[in-house]
């Protein structure tokens, strides 16, 4: 299995194989997911104190907060896939 890594900002990297969704943090259900992850100690804050702009949900149930736009993270995903082909 080939490990694919995606930069989510400020030198933080996530395994692309584990990501289920990249969403905006604005809606109430996503805010609830963030709160639940924090309570269950499965929240990873990679914003370095900046505003959360993307929420990355993994297959292990971890929730990762990023300070870059969801579109930017998705584009990095697509660039990585394009480089492979």
């Amino acid at each position: 299995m080939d490990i694919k890594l995606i930069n989510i900002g400020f030198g933080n990297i996530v395994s692309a194989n584990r990501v289920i969704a990249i969403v905006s943090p604005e809606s109430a259900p996503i805010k609830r997911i963030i709160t639940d992850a924090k309570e269950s100690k499965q929240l990873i804050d990679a914003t370095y104190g900046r505003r959360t702009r993307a929420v990355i949900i993994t297959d292990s149930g971890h929730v990762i907060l990023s300070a870059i736009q969801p579109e930017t993270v998705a584009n990095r995903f697509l660039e990585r896939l394009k480089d492979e082909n």
Side-chain angles (χ1 to χ4, degrees):
M1 181 166 96
D2 191 25
I3 297 175
K4 299 168 193 83
L5 302 174
I6 303 297
N7 184 339
I8 60 165
F10 306 108
N12 297 301
I13 299 172
V14 173
S15 175
N17 301 334
R18 307 296 304 261
V19 173
I20 293 177
I22 305 165
V23 294
S24 175
E26 305 301 321
S27 71
I30 300 302
K31 289 178 182 178
R32 208 167 334 164
I33 288 172
I34 293 169
T35 302
D36 292 346
K38 188 173 187 177
E39 290 172 358
S40 65
K41 307 250 190 265
Q42 290 191 311
L43 181 71
I44 300 168
D45 187 350
T47 62
Y48 281 74
R50 291 175 174 80
R51 180 173 166 241
T52 299
R53 294 189 176 174
V55 178
I56 302 166
I57 301 170
T58 66
D59 61 353
S60 64
H62 287 86
V63 176
I64 305 166
L65 306 180
S66 175
I68 61 174
Q69 294 288 343
E71 294 84 13
T72 305
V73 177
N75 286 335
R76 291 178 183 180
F77 247 116
L78 295 175
E79 287 174 15
R80 186 69 178 197
L81 289 174
K82 191 188 303 183
D83 289 344
E84 288 179 0
N85 296 331

